[in-house]
Amino acid sequence: MTKHFFSALQGRRSYYALSKEALIDDQRIEELVGEAVKQMPSPFNSQSGRVVILLGQRHDRFWDIVKEQLQAIVPAESFQITEDKINDSFKCGYGTILYYEDLSVVEGLQQKFPAYLDKFPLWSNQSSGMLQFAIWTALELEGYGASLQHYNPVIDAAVRAEWDLPADWSLIAQMPFGKPAAQPKPKEFQPLSARIKLFK
Amino acid sequence: MTKHFFSALQGRRSYYALSKEALIDDQRIEELVGEAVKQMPSPFNSQSGRVVILLGQRHDRFWDIVKEQLQAIVPAESFQITEDKINDSFKCGYGTILYYEDLSVVEGLQQKFPAYLDKFPLWSNQSSGMLQFAIWTALELEGYGASLQHYNPVIDAAVRAEWDLPADWSLIAQMPFGKPAAQPKPKEFQPLSARIKLFK
């Protein structure tokens, strides 16, 4: 079983060359996301993670919103590069997963356990990282390629308005995915001896 | 393959009743931790995650340090509860994984990409969460039970001094593990309909 798990970890890479071809039913995507959301740990089992799944035309609309919001703040002479990057990569995918944390849950923990006031936002981020990783890996196992993008907070208000999302949901990351159109380059690794110490 | 992955996610729980019986070779623990550290994603492939593995007597020494540091700040009348919790649970395990982030790496990113100055510490926490989750799950797959504890920053200086750890390593979490001596209680789940929205 550990062999399968590490095979999954090794397969999870950042894919930027995507196509819109569906590899599994939309219902299956929802099941995978649901199971990951359900099983992820969170401080005091607070379950603060939230996810928005955008597929097909909604995915396309999302990336148009990103371009609109960036165009308003990026200098005109460099916007073409931004636009091309989105059109040629992320928007070519089949869907996008948006990762949120419900700040009302985090603030509730801070009020209930004031000794950890400054810790709860960090733990919320760590818990979100776990969820991002689990869904990324699950999509990879189903044949999709994905990557993690961070256009928050520039896009937050427009995205919230478009899909009428709760005001307490705080956007953490965006994960476009699709059928891989090219394989990622080999990854470079630092020596583990500089990163791990064992004492026994 | 996805079936195996979700089986692993479901099996990963918080285990508090532990015993010291070794289930696998220490070398295997080091391999599992090494593979997880290697494969985890990080912003700009910065690989900021660091891990300290404490086994056997070093694990015992770690929890004695935690008790010493807590005794200095916890009111005397409530220290007994703290001490019993550590002696009857975490210290009963076989080992402890300490999760660090190398702040010199995070600060290097902040200097190189000042536009994301405020983001890098959050991404570092998210990346650490991914690593915590991967090792937690791998230990579970090998038969160990683990949980995630947060005695930082109270213990940071004493632990750094004991094992001569780099000053730039910032302690994020502690994960005691051992052979499960009892199974966790069933977990309560919020309805997924309140946590996930799908638009297509």
Side-chain angles (χ1 to χ4, degrees):
Chain A
M1 288 295 281
T2 314
K3 186 183 65 177
H4 293 298
F5 182 64
F6 279 102
S7 170
L9 298 200
Q10 288 153 15
R12 184 225 48 81
R13 294 290 312 281
S14 293
Y15 287 82
Y16 296 103
L18 307 174
S19 84
K20 291 190 179 296
E21 189 182 332
L23 299 177
I24 53 176
D25 289 345
D26 293 348
Q27 194 185 336
R28 175 78 177 144
I29 294 171
E30 198 174 4
E31 282 171 9
L32 296 171
V33 170
E35 191 62 15
V37 166
K38 183 178 172 185
Q39 300 298 343
M40 283 308 100
S42 57
F44 298 90
N45 195 26
S46 53
Q47 304 177 59
S48 53
R50 302 287 181 267
V51 168
V52 174
I53 307 169
L54 301 171
L55 302 178
Q57 290 186 334
R58 306 303 184 110
H59 158 86
D60 288 350
R61 175 69 189 126
F62 171 78
W63 289 103
D64 287 341
I65 291 174
V66 175
K67 286 187 286 182
E68 289 161 17
Q69 297 301 310
L70 288 172
Q71 190 160 25
I73 60 162
V74 171
E77 62 272 21
S78 58
F79 179 69
Q80 188 66 48
I81 295 168
T82 300
E83 188 173 27
D84 289 348
K85 185 177 161 193
I86 290 172
N87 286 341
D88 298 344
S89 173
F90 313 135
K91 199 181 167 185
C92 293
Y94 179 69
T96 299
I97 312 284
L98 308 183
Y99 295 89
Y100 287 85
E101 286 285 302
D102 189 333
L103 295 187
S104 71
V105 175
V106 178
E107 286 158 14
L109 289 167
Q110 289 176 312
Q111 285 163 16
K112 197 170 172 188
F113 307 102
Y116 305 119
L117 187 78
D118 58 336
K119 292 291 181 199
F120 283 118
L122 300 176
W123 295 341
S124 161
N125 271 277
Q126 292 168 35
S127 184
S128 177
M130 296 181 189
L131 180 58
Q132 295 162 31
F133 179 75
I135 293 176
W136 195 345
T137 306
L139 289 171
E140 163 74 34
L141 287 168
E142 296 288 321
Y144 283 122
S147 71
L148 206 47
Q149 305 304 318
H150 301 89
Y151 289 101
N152 50 295
V154 172
I155 61 171
D156 293 17
V159 172
R160 178 177 292 129
E162 179 78 14
W163 286 289
D164 195 21
L165 303 176
D168 288 329
W169 290 22
S170 172
L171 185 57
I172 308 288
Q174 305 87 50
M175 183 177 283
F177 68 91
K179 184 182 175 187
Q183 289 300 306
K185 290 182 201 153
K187 198 169 171 179
E188 291 185 8
F189 299 108
Q190 292 170 20
L192 289 178
S193 58
R195 305 184 61 194
I196 300 171
K197 292 176 188 284
L198 183 143
F199 300 97
K200 66 175 185 176
Chain B
M1 289 294 280
T2 314
K3 186 183 65 177
H4 292 299
F5 181 64
F6 279 102
S7 170
L9 298 200
Q10 288 154 14
R12 184 225 49 80
R13 293 290 312 281
S14 292
Y15 286 82
Y16 296 103
L18 307 173
S19 85
K20 291 190 179 295
E21 189 183 333
L23 300 177
I24 54 176
D25 290 344
D26 292 347
Q27 194 184 335
R28 175 78 176 143
I29 294 172
E30 199 174 4
E31 283 171 8
L32 296 172
V33 170
E35 191 62 15
V37 166
K38 182 178 172 185
Q39 299 300 343
M40 282 309 100
S42 56
F44 298 92
N45 195 26
S46 53
Q47 303 176 57
S48 53
R50 302 287 181 267
V51 167
V52 174
I53 307 170
L54 302 171
L55 303 178
Q57 290 186 334
R58 306 304 186 109
H59 159 85
D60 288 349
R61 175 70 189 124
F62 171 78
W63 289 104
D64 287 340
I65 291 174
V66 175
K67 285 187 287 181
E68 289 161 17
Q69 297 303 310
L70 288 173
Q71 191 159 25
I73 60 162
V74 171
E77 63 273 20
S78 58
F79 179 68
Q80 188 65 47
I81 296 169
T82 300
E83 189 173 27
D84 290 348
K85 185 176 162 192
I86 289 172
N87 286 341
D88 299 343
S89 174
F90 313 136
K91 199 180 167 185
C92 293
Y94 178 70
T96 299
I97 312 284
L98 308 183
Y99 295 89
Y100 287 86
E101 287 285 302
D102 189 333
L103 295 187
S104 71
V105 176
V106 178
E107 287 159 12
L109 289 168
Q110 289 176 312
Q111 285 163 17
K112 197 169 172 188
F113 306 101
Y116 305 119
L117 187 77
D118 59 336
K119 291 291 180 198
F120 283 118
L122 300 176
W123 295 341
S124 162
N125 271 279
Q126 291 168 36
S127 184
S128 177
M130 296 181 190
L131 179 57
Q132 296 162 31
F133 179 76
I135 293 176
W136 194 347
T137 306
L139 289 171
E140 163 76 34
L141 287 168
E142 296 288 322
Y144 282 122
S147 72
L148 206 47
Q149 305 304 318
H150 301 88
Y151 289 101
N152 49 296
V154 172
I155 61 171
D156 293 17
V159 173
R160 179 177 291 131
E162 178 79 13
W163 287 290
D164 195 21
L165 303 176
D168 288 329
W169 290 22
S170 173
L171 184 57
I172 308 289
Q174 305 88 49
M175 183 176 284
F177 67 92
K179 183 182 174 187
Q183 289 302 306
K185 290 181 202 153
K187 198 170 172 179
E188 290 185 7
F189 299 108
Q190 292 171 19
L192 289 178
S193 58
R195 305 184 62 194
I196 301 170
K197 292 176 187 285
L198 182 143
F199 299 98
K200 67 176 184 176

